[in-house]
Amino acid sequence: MNQDINFLIPSVPQSPKWWRNIVMYQIYPRSFKDSNGDGIGDLQGIIDSLDYLNGSSNSLGIGAIWLSPVYPSPMFDHGYDVSDYRNIDPSFGTLTIFNRLIEAAHQHSIRVIMDLVANHTSDQHPWFIKSRASRNNSLRDWYVWRDPAPDGGPPNNWLSYFGGSAWTLDKTTNQYYLHKFAPQQPDLNNWNPKVNQALVDIMHFWLKRGVDGFRMDVVDRLLFDPTFKDAPCNLAYKKNVDPQVKKFDFSKTYYQPEVHQIIAVFRRVLDLYDAVGIGEVEARSIDFIQRFYDHGRGVQLPFDFLLLKTPWEAKKIGAHLKMYEKKLPRSSWPMYVLGNHDKERLADRIGKHNLKLAALMLLTLHGTPMMYYGDEIGLASMPLSKDKWQDAYTKNTKSDWTRDYSRGPMQWNSSKYVGFSTHVPWLPPNEFKNEQNVQEQEKGPNSILHLYKSLIKLRNNHRSLSEGTFELIYDGSEGVIGYLRSFRTEKMLILLNFTSTIKQLRLKHKGLLGTVIMRTHTHNNPQDLVCTIHLKPKEGCILKLEKN
Ligand code: GLC
Ligand code: CA
């Protein structure tokens, strides 16, 4: 069968920059919903859950889902080790089910974003199998091969992000291959235009099937220093102190400015389909993240991971927002995120008592919010002894934290396997499953889930919140962050009390008075116009401003 035929898949009506005014939601497919009782989430499970995400008055109101990789994979890094870019792993389903997912998602007005893993493949990918077979084959320079150092060791001191050397010796040809991540994830040689072209072809393959964009894995690290010089010593390194602080720095396998040329090629492909590119850019500074907009030639939405890394303190968050907005290139659009499959669960990081405030902030900021599945029910990590860890990155290290903690099964109800599966799930539910589940929270008007639904509905119905401008009014120095979102004459004032005390604020802003339309702590009807407002500890609220 010719897999490149054009499928007649309905698409969501296009609007310019559609990715600006919707709420996006990351699904870790292994953990969302299992349809066939093998304990592993799958595509059919996602299809079965679409009503929860969008399409009815009781849905969350999500406009796009990003699926972590669903391609065939030995699952060493749970899909981030791809062995075939043009198919679906049998544990997730088939291409036919994938086509059905696109069709059903679009019917629910949900766009589908896939993960593009362009830095490396699995060591089981046919490209690598061929590349490693001999020194002279046509795919040899699709990967990065080097002779051993004179002492037989690795060609230089580069380190892998997953620990140890970034080089592994392959006995077949007695050369080392480069892997920024695990040895099972050999790096593609993205300096080779044939590799770039192969990735472009893969993008066409999925975009033709109706996919609406890609989240681009480690997009800032697609290259390496082609001189292969040693990396400098890391000055912060001290022997036997902190295993996370490595002896050499990562500059040689990190950002190379030529990466923008590759991203620009990807962007041209995306533009042919009005598709979106979301960039996983490891945050070093605001300037660094914002480089990836590249004057409209880069990805439309580089993640702001700095917000996620900022301690949950009003002063620090306020300062970050102020700076980010100030430096944002004109016509660029932020993408804010508070959690993902590599980072600590939001509930673990900031504590249960802050979750409503975080929801209100994420869903009223200027930019496209990317939610992480389960955050809408306040999902916290599960107890998991080290012998049960599955994450390749952490299970062989001295780390006392594993990414598994953030990848637990979605908790749909309080049954034994939380409505995720009829079988023991690949990771256990958490100990709070009686409260942290969809069914329970749908009953309670004061639940986190209820707040998420109301906030998303409000955002989807008010252009000031989804597309409006942003003006910081309170910068957090007094414990309260406040900002104004405006679109034409519609103005919303958002106030977030990060402190544990009651805050009283005067509301006169440029002659406008406010009507409280939503509060995190009391879900009552809109109140009358108010001049002052009392915010409870950790309370956030939204006011619609009107002329006095
Ligand atoms: C990205 C992914 C992470 C993966 C790594 C290697 O950082 O988010 O989960 O382990 O790339 O592919
Ligand atoms: Ca399954």
Side-chain angles (χ1 to χ4, degrees):
M1 190 185 90
N2 175 5
Q3 294 193 316
D4 269 331
I5 51 170
N6 262 309
F7 281 81
L8 287 175
I9 285 173
S11 60
V12 181
Q14 301 293 350
S15 62
K17 303 192 173 155
W18 54 266
W19 36 268
R20 281 190 174 200
N21 54 11
I22 53 174
V23 175
M24 298 192 184
Y25 185 96
Q26 180 191 356
I27 290 182
Y28 197 67
R30 239 180 129 69
S31 303
F32 197 58
K33 178 95 176 125
D34 172 22
S35 72
N36 61 348
D38 62 359
I40 295 174
D42 46 53
L43 297 182
Q44 186 58 49
I46 299 175
I47 297 176
D48 297 342
S49 316
L50 288 171
D51 285 345
Y52 168 73
L53 296 171
N54 204 15
S56 81
S57 58
N58 193 34
S59 309
L60 262 176
I62 299 301
I65 48 176
W66 148 35
L67 309 181
S68 283
V70 288
Y71 314 103
S73 162
M75 297 290 165
F76 181 80
D77 191 16
H78 292 139
Y80 285 97
D81 45 331
V82 179
S83 55
D84 178 0
Y85 287 97
R86 292 166 189 253
N87 214 331
I88 299 292
D89 191 84
S91 65
F92 293 129
T94 60
L95 263 182
T96 310
I97 300 176
F98 183 82
N99 291 334
R100 237 182 267 147
L101 169 62
I102 297 275
E103 187 174 356
H106 286 176
Q107 274 157 0
H108 283 74
S109 297
I110 300 174
R111 295 166 200 267
V112 180
I113 296 165
M114 289 192 94
D115 216 306
L116 185 67
V117 188
N119 178 70
H120 48 270
T121 66
S122 156
D123 61 352
Q124 303 303 309
H125 194 292
W127 295 343
F128 187 70
I129 291 172
K130 178 152 188 202
S131 181
R132 84 189 316 177
S134 67
R135 288 196 179 206
N136 304 323
N137 72 76
S138 60
L139 297 191
R140 186 66 171 178
D141 61 354
W142 281 41
Y143 293 83
V144 190
W145 294 99
R146 302 293 286 171
D147 282 335
D151 67 355
N156 61 32
N157 68 0
W158 295 358
L159 296 175
S160 148
Y161 294 109
F162 280 4
S165 170
W167 297 96
T168 290
L169 183 67
D170 190 49
K171 295 233 172 71
T172 325
T173 55
N174 200 35
Q175 279 195 317
Y176 281 85
Y177 65 89
L178 178 69
H179 51 86
K180 296 184 189 104
F181 295 91
Q184 292 83 348
Q185 296 168 299
D187 268 40
L188 284 163
N189 176 13
N190 268 304
W191 289 102
N192 181 347
K194 288 187 187 149
V195 172
N196 308 151
Q197 186 55 48
L199 293 164
V200 160
D201 292 346
I202 288 159
M203 290 174 74
H204 283 291
F205 175 86
W206 293 104
L207 290 163
K208 275 183 200 163
R209 280 185 156 69
V211 160
D212 299 288
F214 293 95
R215 173 268 189 187
M216 301 191 173
D217 194 53
V218 294
V219 78
D220 51 348
R221 276 164 279 178
L222 297 181
L223 292 171
F224 50 87
D225 179 350
T227 69
F228 294 100
K229 286 192 186 126
D230 271 349
C233 287
N234 181 359
L235 299 176
Y237 172 77
K238 286 197 191 77
K239 208 173 172 189
N240 299 333
V241 178
D242 180 352
Q244 300 307 325
V245 180
K246 307 293 182 208
K247 195 165 177 186
F248 306 110
D249 81 12
F250 284 82
S251 54
K252 303 290 178 187
T253 47
Y254 197 62
Y255 172 70
Q256 310 291 317
E258 292 86 348
V259 79
H260 296 297
Q261 292 165 21
I262 299 175
I263 300 172
V265 172
F266 293 164
R267 174 61 187 270
R268 285 201 291 274
V269 178
L270 293 170
D271 284 348
L272 294 175
Y273 298 83
D274 191 21
V276 72
I278 299 173
E280 189 201 14
V281 176
E282 192 51 53
R284 290 201 294 191
S285 65
I286 293 177
D287 294 324
F288 182 71
I289 298 173
Q290 296 190 348
R291 229 178 266 175
F292 287 81
Y293 290 107
D294 196 15
H295 312 284
R297 293 186 297 261
V299 286
Q300 293 96 325
L301 299 171
F303 275 122
D304 171 17
F305 283 149
L306 285 176
L307 178 68
L308 187 153
K309 290 181 175 172
T310 304
W312 191 252
E313 293 165 28
K315 222 179 183 166
K316 293 190 174 149
I317 296 209
H320 174 74
L321 293 175
K322 192 175 185 175
M323 215 24 133
Y324 205 84
E325 290 288 337
K326 193 172 153 203
K327 292 191 164 183
L328 194 71
R330 277 187 66 196
S331 81
S332 300
W333 193 252
M335 163 151 268
Y336 292 115
V337 56
L338 294 177
N340 69 30
H341 65 293
D342 294 325
K343 308 283 192 293
E344 208 177 358
R345 271 271 173 205
L346 184 63
D348 296 347
R349 183 161 66 84
I350 68 171
K352 207 172 151 185
H353 53 295
N354 279 310
L355 287 178
K356 288 187 172 177
L357 198 62
L360 194 128
M361 184 181 86
L362 181 67
L363 292 163
T364 55
L365 279 179
H366 167 232
T368 303
M370 176 69 83
M371 290 169 53
Y372 185 46
Y373 85 95
D375 280 353
E376 72 275 22
I377 51 167
L379 196 65
S381 58
M382 73 301 270
L384 198 65
S385 55
K386 194 156 184 172
D387 57 308
K388 302 228 166 55
W389 288 10
Q390 312 233 7
D391 173 20
Y393 169 46
T394 47
K395 77 178 171 194
N396 296 322
T397 66
K398 291 193 183 126
S399 171
D400 56 4
W401 182 82
T402 172
R403 297 185 297 181
D404 294 335
Y405 288 144
S406 312
R407 301 173 177 181
M410 179 64 179
Q411 303 190 158
W412 298 96
N413 59 42
S414 60
S415 65
K416 192 169 173 199
Y417 301 137
V418 287
F420 164 74
S421 179
T422 52
H423 183 274
V424 189
W426 76 282
L427 283 173
N430 74 18
E431 53 197 328
F432 315 106
K433 67 183 173 74
N434 288 343
E435 302 96 54
Q436 291 174 12
N437 74 69
V438 172
Q439 195 182 53
E440 182 61 29
Q441 294 201 13
E442 281 191 331
K443 289 185 217 151
N446 288 324
S447 67
I448 300 180
L449 180 59
H450 187 87
L451 178 68
Y452 267 94
K453 284 185 185 176
S454 311
L455 280 167
I456 298 174
K457 195 173 276 170
L458 193 74
R459 185 181 174 102
N460 288 346
N461 290 330
H462 289 86
R463 295 180 78 177
S464 55
L465 291 175
S466 58
E467 299 171 58
T469 55
F470 177 93
E471 188 190 334
L472 197 67
I473 311 264
Y474 297 107
D475 67 3
S477 46
E478 307 286 322
V480 175
I481 294 180
Y483 44 87
L484 191 66
R485 302 288 319 274
S486 317
F487 185 84
R488 298 188 186 132
T489 56
E490 187 181 274
K491 289 185 190 308
M492 299 279 192
L493 178 64
I494 289 88
L495 297 170
L496 308 162
N497 178 10
F498 278 65
T499 73
S500 305
T501 56
I502 293 176
K503 290 276 177 183
Q504 181 180 321
L505 296 168
R506 281 193 64 234
L507 277 185
K508 256 207 140 72
H509 180 77
K510 295 180 184 163
L512 301 174
L513 281 182
T515 313
V516 180
I517 53 171
M518 195 172 295
R519 303 184 83 116
T520 48
H521 285 50
T522 37
H523 304 301
N524 49 7
N525 293 326
Q527 291 171 357
D528 290 339
L529 291 179
V530 286
C531 291
T532 47
I533 182 161
H534 290 85
L535 289 175
K536 291 186 190 140
K538 312 284 181 198
E539 189 176 40
C541 80
I542 304 177
L543 297 111
K544 193 166 186 190
L545 295 186
E546 274 146 328
K547 279 228 167 80
N548 194 349

